[in-house]
Protein backbone atom coordinates (compact mmCIF):
# COMPACT_ATOMS: atom_id res chain seq x y z
CA UNK A 1 0.00 0.00 0.00
CA UNK A 2 1.41 3.37 -0.98
CA UNK A 3 1.60 6.48 1.17
CA UNK A 4 -1.21 8.13 -0.82
CA UNK A 5 -3.51 5.16 -0.22
CA UNK A 6 -2.76 5.09 3.50
CA UNK A 7 -3.34 8.84 3.73
CA UNK A 8 -6.57 8.42 1.73
CA UNK A 9 -7.87 5.75 4.11
CA UNK A 10 -7.05 7.97 7.10
CA UNK A 11 -8.77 10.99 5.52
CA UNK A 12 -11.92 8.99 4.71
CA UNK A 13 -11.98 7.53 8.23
CA UNK A 14 -11.67 10.98 9.82
CA UNK A 15 -14.43 12.35 7.60
CA UNK A 16 -16.73 9.44 8.44
CA UNK A 17 -16.02 9.76 12.17
CA UNK A 18 -16.88 13.45 11.98
CA UNK A 19 -20.06 12.56 10.09
CA UNK A 20 -21.04 10.20 12.91
CA UNK A 21 -20.27 13.02 15.34
CA UNK A 22 -22.58 15.36 13.45
CA UNK A 23 -25.36 12.78 13.39
CA UNK A 24 -24.99 12.37 17.16
CA UNK A 25 -24.81 16.17 17.64
CA UNK A 26 -28.06 16.80 15.77
CA UNK A 27 -29.92 13.88 17.38
CA UNK A 28 -28.92 15.01 20.88
CA UNK A 29 -26.67 12.06 21.74
CA UNK A 30 -23.79 13.06 24.01
CA UNK A 31 -20.44 11.73 22.82
CA UNK A 32 -17.18 11.87 24.80
CA UNK A 33 -15.65 14.00 22.03
CA UNK A 34 -16.96 17.27 20.67
CA UNK A 35 -16.28 19.72 17.87
CA UNK A 36 -14.01 22.24 19.56
CA UNK A 37 -13.82 24.49 16.49
CA UNK A 38 -17.55 24.50 15.75
CA UNK A 39 -18.53 27.04 18.40
CA UNK A 40 -15.86 29.63 17.38
CA UNK A 41 -16.87 29.23 13.73
CA UNK A 42 -20.53 29.73 14.65
CA UNK A 43 -19.64 32.83 16.65
CA UNK A 44 -17.59 34.30 13.83
CA UNK A 45 -19.76 33.45 10.81
CA UNK A 46 -23.19 32.93 12.39
CA UNK A 47 -24.88 29.73 13.49
CA UNK A 48 -25.96 28.31 10.12
CA UNK A 49 -23.06 29.54 7.92
CA UNK A 50 -20.54 28.52 10.59
CA UNK A 51 -22.04 25.04 10.83
CA UNK A 52 -22.05 24.68 7.03
CA UNK A 53 -18.42 25.79 6.77
CA UNK A 54 -17.41 23.44 9.59
CA UNK A 55 -19.32 20.51 8.05
CA UNK A 56 -17.79 21.15 4.63
CA UNK A 57 -14.26 21.51 6.00
CA UNK A 58 -14.31 18.61 8.43
CA UNK A 59 -16.64 16.07 6.77
CA UNK A 60 -17.04 16.64 3.04
CA UNK A 61 -13.51 17.76 2.21
CA UNK A 62 -11.67 14.88 3.96
CA UNK A 63 -14.00 12.29 2.41
CA UNK A 64 -13.62 13.70 -1.12
CA UNK A 65 -9.87 14.14 -0.72
CA UNK A 66 -9.43 10.63 0.69
CA UNK A 67 -11.51 9.02 -2.04
CA UNK A 68 -9.58 10.89 -4.72
CA UNK A 69 -6.30 9.62 -3.25
CA UNK A 70 -7.65 6.08 -3.08
CA UNK A 71 -8.70 6.29 -6.74
CA UNK A 72 -5.21 7.28 -7.79
CA UNK A 73 -5.20 11.07 -7.95
CA UNK A 74 -1.71 12.39 -7.25
CA UNK A 75 -1.36 16.05 -6.23
Amino acid sequence: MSFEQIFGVIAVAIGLLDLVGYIAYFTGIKLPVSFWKLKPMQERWGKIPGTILHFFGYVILPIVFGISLLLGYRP
Side-chain angles (χ1 to χ4, degrees):
M1 207 173 206
S2 70
F3 174 76
E4 287 85 7
Q5 291 173 328
I6 294 170
F7 195 67
V9 168
I10 292 170
V12 169
I14 289 172
L16 291 176
L17 286 173
D18 284 341
L19 179 62
V20 169
Y22 261 99
I23 292 170
Y25 176 76
F26 286 117
T27 57
I29 299 171
K30 297 288 184 184
L31 294 177
V33 295
S34 64
F35 299 118
W36 60 280
K37 289 185 181 178
L38 178 59
K39 188 61 81 177
M41 289 179 83
Q42 288 176 338
E43 290 171 359
R44 171 152 179 135
W45 301 103
K47 186 163 179 76
I48 293 175
T51 303
I52 291 171
L53 285 171
H54 189 272
F55 184 80
F56 182 76
Y58 288 93
V59 176
I60 303 298
L61 218 54
I63 291 173
V64 170
F65 182 68
I67 289 173
S68 68
L69 286 177
L70 288 172
L71 293 177
Y73 174 76
R74 299 201 181 243

